[in-house]
Amino acid sequence: MDFSGQTIAVAITGGIAAYKACDLIRELYRRGAHRVLGILTPTAEAFLPALTVQALTRYPVYTSELAVDDHGVPIHIVLAQQADALLIVPATTDTLAKLAHGLADNLVTTTAITFTGKPVLMAPAMNTRMWEHPLSRKNLDILHAVPNYHLIQPSSGSLACGEVGEGHLADQETILQALYAAIHPQKGLFQGVKALVTAGGTSEPIDPVRVISNRSSGKMGLAIADELAAMGAEVTLITTRPPSGRRYPVITVQTAAEMKAAVEAQAPENQLILMAAAISDYRVANPSEQKLKRTANESRQLELIPNPDILAGLGANKPAGQILVGFAAESQALIHHATQKRQAKNLDAIVANDISRSDIGFEADHNEVTVLFPDGPPHSLARSSKPQIARQLLQLLHQRFFA
Ligand code: CTP
């Protein structure tokens, strides 16, 4: 990881892990950073003197939101203009709560909200109870949804207070990796790759009004298509939930049969296929052409007949060099069922999704998945916004199949 030419703003907030920021600043210089600019909250200064940070960064260090540079320009504006990324390390409960609610009451929070269009990374460190508090969870959800905000998951370990649990500042390498990935969104990672993505839940007509469907929102597939496009791929999205304003082609379908026809027409020319769509396994045998009328006190039966498994069909006829990625929505025995699906459908990878949890997966804005390849250990992607999960998934696939 080379930070040559980069200017990194390091914001330190008031927690005992503040001292670890010192090593991080030195490491950034060791790895070629052009400038590291330090700022502190007033509470951080109680843990770490500004003079120490100044000696390590070799630049003036500011601690007040009212601070200005030699030309009278407010420091938060200077930092937002000059730095390539803002790294808040450690990020305390208080700072995360303020950022989640858009407060700007000290130099760190004021700088963060001025930092638009560039990455802001937060490395939380706190006691486990604070980290797990429902209010902290809510604030993290809000922060996850901000496109340029990146949370670096704390680890589990012994905490400064003597307790053991989650809330330990992530290790230096993890923080540097997250910073590196955020600064280099890997624009060209999938340059020249043709990719097909499916999204949303299909619906099968019962009559002209009613359908059998599922709760898939199409957000995960859409996030994958968007991220692939941002990484340079030539993307086609087939979805039941068409988004607006996309530059890549979007094909809208409703039923599994329409999905099958669209997928099979597009598949041969694509090198990478990601099937995130939740496709109905059954359809109504004889949908009524007229609206079914209520028949008082009589039950009604629908005959369901199986739909073809589109992905298994692609897997059975996979051309050499094509990478086929499936999704597995499971409510129990996640890894076991996902592994079976990967093998049965002849997939290069499967993304296993626990749909029994309401905070991730179907309809949610967040996800937490495990990626399984034919060999090697499972890769767990910790709970994050769907765009962030998409980014990490694509980086994994790139490493594995396109590097
Ligand atoms: N899939 C498909 N065609 C279907 C059903 C599923 O192509 N008729 C694809 C999905 O897009 C997904 C993968 O197969 O990538 C797994 O879908 P999932 O619904 O998790 O599993 P199923 O294979 O349908 O098995 P089950 O419903 O029994 O879990």
Side-chain angles (χ1 to χ4, degrees):
M1 267 176 296
D2 180 17
F3 289 92
S4 293
Q6 305 289 344
T7 295
I8 310 296
V10 172
I12 303 166
T13 73
I16 183 61
Y19 75 94
K20 294 188 179 169
C22 297
D23 271 345
L24 208 95
I25 293 166
R26 298 193 69 193
E27 194 55 32
L28 282 167
Y29 275 127
R30 248 181 244 129
R31 298 189 191 210
H34 169 53
R35 280 191 302 170
V36 182
L37 304 172
I39 54 172
L40 285 86
T41 60
T43 324
E45 255 201 294
F47 289 91
L48 186 64
L51 190 62
T52 306
V53 181
Q54 189 161 306
L56 294 170
T57 59
R58 302 172 221 144
Y59 285 95
V61 167
Y62 300 92
T63 57
S64 164
E65 69 275 26
L66 304 177
V68 293
D69 72 359
D70 295 345
H71 308 285
V73 183
I75 291 303
H76 60 282
I77 308 288
V78 174
L79 290 173
Q81 287 168 347
Q82 296 187 358
D84 297 294
L86 171 68
L87 173 61
I88 307 177
V89 57
T92 57
T93 317
D94 180 60
T95 297
L96 294 176
K98 284 174 177 168
L99 293 176
H101 293 86
L103 299 189
D105 64 341
N106 62 39
L107 183 55
V108 172
T109 51
T110 308
T111 303
I113 205 157
T114 315
F115 239 80
T116 49
K118 294 186 199 180
V120 175
L121 291 103
M122 299 155 213
M126 62 195 73
N127 173 274
T128 309
R129 294 161 210 254
M130 298 163 93
W131 175 247
E132 288 177 350
H133 194 282
L135 290 173
S136 296
R137 303 277 104 195
K138 272 195 181 159
N139 290 335
L140 292 170
D141 285 349
I142 296 173
L143 293 169
H144 273 308
V146 180
N148 67 321
Y149 281 9
H150 305 259
L151 278 144
I152 305 170
Q153 182 77 13
S155 58
S156 277
S158 69
L159 304 166
C161 54
E163 295 187 7
V164 176
E166 208 169 49
H168 197 78
L169 184 75
D171 64 56
Q172 191 180 81
E173 202 56 27
T174 305
I175 295 175
L176 290 173
Q177 259 172 20
L179 177 64
Y180 186 83
I183 297 175
H184 302 92
Q186 297 166 319
K187 283 200 169 99
L189 214 55
F190 284 92
Q191 202 71 46
V193 173
K194 289 194 83 167
L196 179 66
V197 182
T198 66
T202 59
S203 47
E204 305 296 332
I206 298 171
D207 68 14
V209 183
R210 303 168 180 103
V211 295
I212 296 179
S213 189
N214 59 63
R215 289 163 48 208
S216 168
S217 63
K219 287 179 189 165
M220 193 64 236
L222 177 61
I224 291 172
D226 283 350
E227 293 299 326
L228 266 171
M231 292 177 179
E234 223 179 290
V235 183
T236 301
L237 173 66
I238 303 176
T239 181
T240 61
R241 306 272 193 124
S244 55
R246 296 307 194 274
R247 293 213 182 121
Y248 51 79
V250 176
I251 300 169
T252 307
V253 296
Q254 291 306 332
T255 63
E258 288 168 11
M259 177 70 83
K260 181 171 186 287
V263 167
E264 288 179 355
Q266 297 293 325
E269 57 188 69
N270 282 280
Q271 204 179 336
L272 172 64
I273 301 179
L274 292 119
M275 290 281 287
I279 298 159
S280 315
D281 286 328
Y282 295 90
R283 67 183 183 279
V284 178
N286 297 300
S288 170
E289 283 185 12
Q290 305 302 328
K291 185 182 172 212
L292 295 174
K293 302 305 283 180
R294 185 211 303 259
T295 47
N297 303 327
E298 266 181 43
S299 62
R300 206 185 263 285
Q301 297 211 336
L302 288 176
E303 189 193 344
L304 298 179
I305 53 172
N307 276 329
D309 187 326
I310 304 170
L311 187 53
L314 295 181
N317 301 297
K318 191 159 54 116
Q322 188 176 72
I323 304 299
L324 205 50
V325 182
F327 281 68
E330 306 295 346
S331 56
Q332 55 174 337
L334 183 73
I335 302 298
H336 171 72
H337 288 310
T339 304
Q340 279 187 337
K341 278 181 195 171
R342 197 202 56 70
Q343 286 166 346
K345 302 189 192 211
N346 189 27
L347 306 178
D348 298 287
I350 195 154
V351 182
N353 208 163
D354 181 349
I355 54 158
S356 65
R357 282 171 52 183
S358 60
D359 62 330
I360 56 167
F362 276 11
E363 291 177 320
D365 287 326
H366 298 88
N367 216 346
E368 177 180 317
V369 301
T370 304
V371 187
L372 304 168
F373 295 105
D375 51 63
H379 292 259
S380 300
L381 305 183
R383 184 172 182 278
S384 272
S385 67
K386 287 184 172 172
Q388 286 195 37
I389 290 285
R391 216 168 295 146
Q392 291 173 46
L393 167 64
L394 292 171
Q395 283 169 1
L396 253 183
L397 294 177
H398 181 270
Q399 267 169 28
R400 176 93 193 194
F401 301 114
F402 295 90

